[in-house]
């Protein structure tokens, strides 16, 4: 039942996010989607894989990057999460790679979102 609720929640967020069309990506949406990755971000190991709900959320982030402005917004939001969660910044940065989702930019300490 929990996985079903998770999927519904991801789909609702995605439909909301895509309904904003050309608007910049909202950091609250990014934070909500990344919350599906909390276990991976907090622990990272010994289980090195983020899991399906997390990777679906990262895929939904990718689906929001259809424009340069959206990629910049997403990058800024993710860099804000990296800064706020400095102790878990490596886990956040590795999410796209573990999930096989190219976001169009690298998450790292020297990332310039412009």
């Amino acid at each position: 039942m929990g996985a079903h609720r998770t999927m519904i929640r991801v789909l609702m967020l995605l439909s909301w996010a895509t309904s904003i069309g050309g608007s910049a990506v909202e950091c609250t949406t990014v934070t909500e989607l990344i919350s599906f990755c909390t276990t991976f971000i907090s622990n990272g190991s010994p289980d090195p894989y983020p899991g399906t709900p997390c990777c679906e959320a990262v895929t939904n982030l990718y689906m929001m990057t259809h424009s340069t402005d959206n990629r910049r917004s997403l990058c800024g939001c993710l860099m804000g999460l990296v800064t706020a969660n400095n102790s878990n910044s490596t886990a956040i940065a590795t999410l796209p790679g573990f999930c096989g989702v190219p976001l169009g930019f690298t998450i790292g300490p020297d990332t310039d979102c412009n």
Side-chain angles (χ1 to χ4, degrees):
M1 185 69 161
H4 180 68
R5 283 188 199 160
T6 299
M7 180 57 71
I8 289 172
R9 193 168 149 198
V10 168
L11 291 173
M12 286 175 35
L13 281 169
L14 179 60
S15 67
W16 175 80
T18 56
S19 71
I20 60 175
S23 299
V25 174
E26 295 286 330
C27 289
T28 54
T29 302
V30 173
T31 301
E32 186 69 27
L33 286 168
I34 291 297
S35 72
F36 288 100
C37 304
T38 301
T39 301
F40 175 78
I41 292 169
S42 297
N43 302 324
S45 63
D47 184 11
Y49 297 102
T52 300
C54 175
C55 286
E56 287 172 354
V58 174
T59 299
N60 288 335
L61 289 175
Y62 168 74
M63 294 172 75
M64 291 183 224
T65 63
H66 62 280
S67 72
T68 301
D69 287 341
N70 281 12
R71 274 190 299 284
R72 284 183 183 141
S73 295
L74 176 60
C75 177
C77 294
L78 287 173
M79 291 309 296
L81 287 172
V82 164
T83 301
N85 297 287
N86 192 34
S87 62
N88 301 325
S89 62
T90 300
I92 295 169
T94 60
L95 280 171
F98 270 116
C99 293
V101 179
L103 295 179
F105 56 88
T106 302
I107 304 167
D110 299 325
T111 298
D112 179 2
C113 294
N114 293 316

